[in-house]
Amino acid sequence: FFCSVPGGPAEMSVLGARQGANMPPIAICQLMRIVTLVVVIPPTMVLLDLHGEHVWTFSADPFHLTGFLVTMGLSLALALMLRWMNVTAAFIVGPLAVGIALGASDAHLSSVPAELMMACQVLIGAYLGAQFRRDVLRSMKRFLPAALMNVLLVTLACATLGFLLHLVDDESIAT
């Protein structure tokens, strides 16, 4: 289950471990899913000349220490409250809810400094990389081909659903 649910490798591994699952296979399967999507989807769209109709531009809000601290404080407070209520993944759900609320309200308190985001990505990568020990990979000889097949089947199912939605609502197939 935790190998198949689209989500981050770290998040799914932690959620799986809380339910008694083995973390390394989940992290490896999630990583295989992400790598497969990055390696397969963009080149396929380019080869098929698929592109969206809408131009999207990204413009980050400037960094403001006060707004950043307010955002972090709200995120921590909600996460702690959810944790107290025994909500699974409270430290994912809480900050996500705060981010959604602030984004929907156009609060524009602050962006997250790029350096902090990069540092967090490195730490998450190091945490996941520590799971990939040689003995763990060797013990999963039969699991890895099945996991790759699972990734391909889930990707195909999602692509099929996307195509069916395209037929129903006339949205661009690339979307």
Side-chain angles (χ1 to χ4, degrees), residues 37-174:
L37 293 177
V38 169
V39 169
V40 171
I41 301 295
T44 301
M45 291 181 73
V46 168
L47 287 172
L48 297 175
D49 194 31
L50 299 175
H51 46 81
E53 299 165 3
H54 308 287
V55 175
W56 183 79
T57 58
F58 177 78
S59 60
D61 291 326
F63 174 74
H64 297 290
L65 182 59
T66 305
F68 179 73
L69 293 175
V70 167
T71 303
M72 294 299 108
L74 290 171
S75 298
L76 180 61
L78 184 56
L80 289 171
M81 184 181 78
L82 293 173
R83 176 79 174 183
W84 178 76
M85 297 169 56
N86 291 322
V87 172
T88 303
F91 285 90
I92 296 170
V93 174
L96 185 60
V98 169
I100 290 169
L102 291 175
S105 69
D106 283 332
H108 301 287
L109 296 179
S110 177
S111 65
V112 176
E115 295 81 9
L116 180 59
M117 287 194 295
M118 287 184 253
C120 289
Q121 290 294 321
V122 168
L123 290 173
I124 290 170
Y127 168 77
L128 290 173
Q131 307 296 318
F132 302 160
R133 297 185 323 268
R134 181 177 295 173
D135 60 320
V136 172
L137 292 172
R138 282 190 180 146
S139 71
M140 296 189 320
K141 286 181 188 174
R142 293 179 56 200
F143 173 80
L144 291 176
L148 183 58
M149 184 58 69
N150 177 54
V151 167
L152 295 175
L153 288 174
V154 169
T155 303
L156 181 62
C158 289
T160 301
L161 178 60
F163 179 73
L164 293 175
L165 288 172
H166 157 72
L167 295 177
V168 171
D169 71 1
D170 283 335
E171 184 67 55
S172 162
I173 187 67

